[in-house]
Amino acid sequence: EIPPDLEEVVASRTEGNPFFIEELLQSLTELGSLAVIDGKALLSHTDLHVPDTIEGTVMARVDRLDSPERAVLQHASVIGLTFSSELLARLLVEIDVPPSLERLARGQLIVAEGPDRWRFKHALIQDVIYQALLMRQRTELHRRVAEEVERTYGDDPAHLEVLAEHYSHARVPEKAARYAVLAGDLAVERVAFPEAQSHYETALRLSSEADERGRLEVLRKLGHAAYRASDFTTARTALVEAIDGWKELGDARRAGEALASLGRVYWSGTGDTDRATEVGREAIDLLEPLGPSPELAQAYVWSSTQRMLEGRLEVAIDLATKGLEIAEALDLDGARSHLLNTLGCCEGQAGDPAGLERIREALLLAERSGEAEAIGRERLQLKAVDDEPQVAD
């Protein structure tokens, strides 16, 4: 049963916010101003000195905690919304962490998620505690968390994103950028391209101006991830900047590789076929004098595919044949698969039945290479062929 005076306090202070109601009642209980006796809520007095905001109420509760519990909450707020007692114990060697966690759980500030996993009862509790830390404290705690995670897990893929985030907040940009790139690479492997793009953008923001080659490599990866995430504006911007940078450094191979990628963005991303053709030709012209290379083979892949899709079959066959010679010499199964597919499609459109066999061979090479894009392309092409109406002799 709720007495009128308590109802008035709750209504006037919380304005119906459920979380605020919980925190206010918990705070009144801890202050000894509220008790439940025989099923009735009793308020000792109505002249209560409690904060008028959720944030103030949460912070007042934290301030009343004993020093060990307060330290546990502060460290946990830096780790994140969820955290492990194991990591806290390594950070707080002077505190018996498990009993402190149990007391905090009884106080409805955190909840258990498993044998070693905990989380804040509400994201606002974590945020209020974190924001109350001085900037110097946050920086130092993020550094300690990052170093402990790094010491324990190294380059374990499951912790790359965590390391990048904590080193960034700890103002250690070199390590933050390194782990952001690794997290982006892992996301690409999982075909999570928007996530990869986000990590590469973080890495680019943190990249050192002293490591120009490293920065340009991040731009290349960002361009690829953004293209696959259908963010063509970012892809084009990143690749153009990478091309200019590689040219300035005199690295024609890297510049040609980025040019080939840019041609693909212009073709399938913006529909600017003339610009795509021009950029693709420039990539081949830049790479050919350097001799056979995977970058040159890839430039032929995308240029020949574009010509095929435009219906310029003779040009496509010529480009694909040249690229295939390079791909076979370098044993590049993924590139060979794409080029054979292009040749097979061109031959099929010209009425040559040998085209189907080339496409089947392309699928075998794609599966052997493990390249997801090549496998998808060949299977899609074979399905299209199989679905065509068959005419009896």
Side-chain angles (χ1 to χ4, degrees):
E1 293 182 25
I2 308 298
D5 53 356
L6 178 58
E7 185 176 337
E8 173 61 27
V9 168
V10 170
S12 63
R13 298 294 179 91
T14 69
E15 296 184 347
N17 184 300
F19 176 60
F20 197 175
I21 293 172
E22 288 188 16
E23 289 301 302
L24 177 61
L25 296 178
Q26 190 71 33
S27 182
L28 292 174
T29 303
E30 292 172 0
L31 287 168
S33 300
L34 176 65
V36 178
I37 301 175
D38 296 332
K40 294 183 178 181
L42 301 177
L43 195 61
S44 60
H45 53 84
T46 57
D47 184 19
L48 301 171
H49 299 287
V50 293
D52 292 326
T53 64
I54 302 177
E55 293 82 356
T57 303
V58 171
M59 206 60 234
R61 293 187 59 205
V62 173
D63 288 341
R64 289 194 294 270
L65 294 172
D66 291 337
S67 179
E69 282 74 44
R70 192 160 55 249
V72 167
L73 277 184
Q74 289 172 337
H75 281 71
S77 74
V78 171
I79 294 172
L81 185 62
T82 63
F83 51 92
S84 72
S85 56
E86 180 184 358
L87 178 56
L88 280 173
R90 289 199 298 270
L91 294 169
L92 294 163
V93 293
E94 72 282 3
I95 293 176
D96 191 4
V97 170
S100 292
L101 290 171
E102 293 295 339
R103 286 191 287 271
L104 291 169
R106 287 195 295 271
Q108 295 293 302
L109 288 165
I110 63 174
V111 294
E113 284 203 325
D116 181 49
R117 298 296 303 174
W118 299 81
R119 68 174 174 83
F120 284 91
K121 182 183 175 183
H122 195 284
L124 187 58
I125 295 176
Q126 179 214 358
D127 186 61
V128 167
I129 297 169
Y130 181 80
Q131 295 300 331
L133 294 170
L134 298 175
M135 185 60 70
R136 171 181 53 79
Q137 291 176 299
R138 292 186 214 170
T139 302
E140 174 61 18
L141 288 178
H142 277 295
R143 183 189 62 78
R144 290 185 59 201
V145 171
E147 290 176 349
E148 192 58 51
V149 172
E150 187 178 44
R151 185 181 303 114
T152 304
Y153 301 105
D155 285 354
D156 182 340
H159 296 85
L160 295 176
E161 187 174 350
V162 169
L163 285 166
E165 179 183 357
H166 285 297
Y167 271 125
S168 176
H169 289 302
R171 299 179 182 177
V172 186
E174 296 81 9
K175 284 196 171 187
R178 172 177 175 268
Y179 283 116
V181 170
L182 291 174
D185 294 346
L186 182 64
V188 168
E189 290 179 16
R190 298 199 308 261
V191 200
F193 294 109
E195 180 184 334
Q197 178 181 344
S198 176
H199 289 309
Y200 291 139
E201 287 173 337
T202 297
L204 186 63
R205 177 172 52 83
L206 298 170
S207 293
S208 169
E209 295 181 1
D211 182 14
E212 179 64 3
R213 286 185 171 274
R215 189 183 74 85
L216 294 175
E217 178 61 14
V218 173
L219 279 168
R220 182 192 69 80
K221 291 183 175 185
L222 171 60
H224 171 70
Y227 167 76
R228 299 302 298 274
S230 298
D231 184 352
F232 303 119
T233 300
T234 297
R236 184 176 64 251
T237 301
L239 289 170
V240 167
E241 186 175 347
I243 291 164
D244 291 342
W246 288 124
K247 285 182 175 179
E248 189 172 334
L249 291 177
D251 194 327
R253 188 181 302 280
R254 292 291 195 181
E257 178 186 24
L259 274 165
S261 298
L262 181 61
R264 192 184 195 193
V265 172
Y266 278 126
W267 164 253
S268 56
T270 66
D272 189 345
T273 57
D274 292 339
R275 188 76 180 105
T277 300
E278 177 186 343
V279 168
R281 186 182 301 115
E282 183 182 352
I284 292 173
D285 291 344
L286 197 61
L287 290 166
E288 268 192 326
L290 305 177
S293 68
E295 294 82 8
L296 179 57
Q298 194 61 60
Y300 274 118
V301 166
W302 290 335
S303 291
S304 62
T305 301
Q306 180 187 337
R307 299 292 89 72
M308 176 195 70
L309 293 172
E310 290 174 344
R312 300 167 62 185
L313 301 186
E314 290 186 7
V315 179
I317 290 173
D318 179 59
L319 290 169
T321 301
K322 290 178 179 178
L324 191 59
E325 292 177 4
I326 297 169
E328 287 177 342
L330 298 177
D331 198 25
L332 304 172
D333 286 344
R336 289 173 64 196
S337 172
H338 283 296
L339 292 161
L340 280 169
N341 181 286
T342 298
L343 284 172
C345 289
C346 290
E347 291 168 346
Q349 291 182 60
D352 186 345
L356 181 58
E357 290 308 310
R358 285 196 190 271
I359 296 173
R360 295 190 190 282
E361 184 183 355
L363 177 58
L364 293 175
L365 286 169
E367 291 176 337
R368 190 165 75 188
S369 73
E371 185 183 319
E373 184 177 355
I375 294 170
R377 178 181 176 181
E378 315 319 333
R379 288 182 176 172
L380 186 63
Q381 188 61 44
L382 282 174
K383 184 179 187 303
V385 172
D386 291 341
D387 286 347
E388 288 183 358
Q390 302 299 311
V391 180
D393 292 337

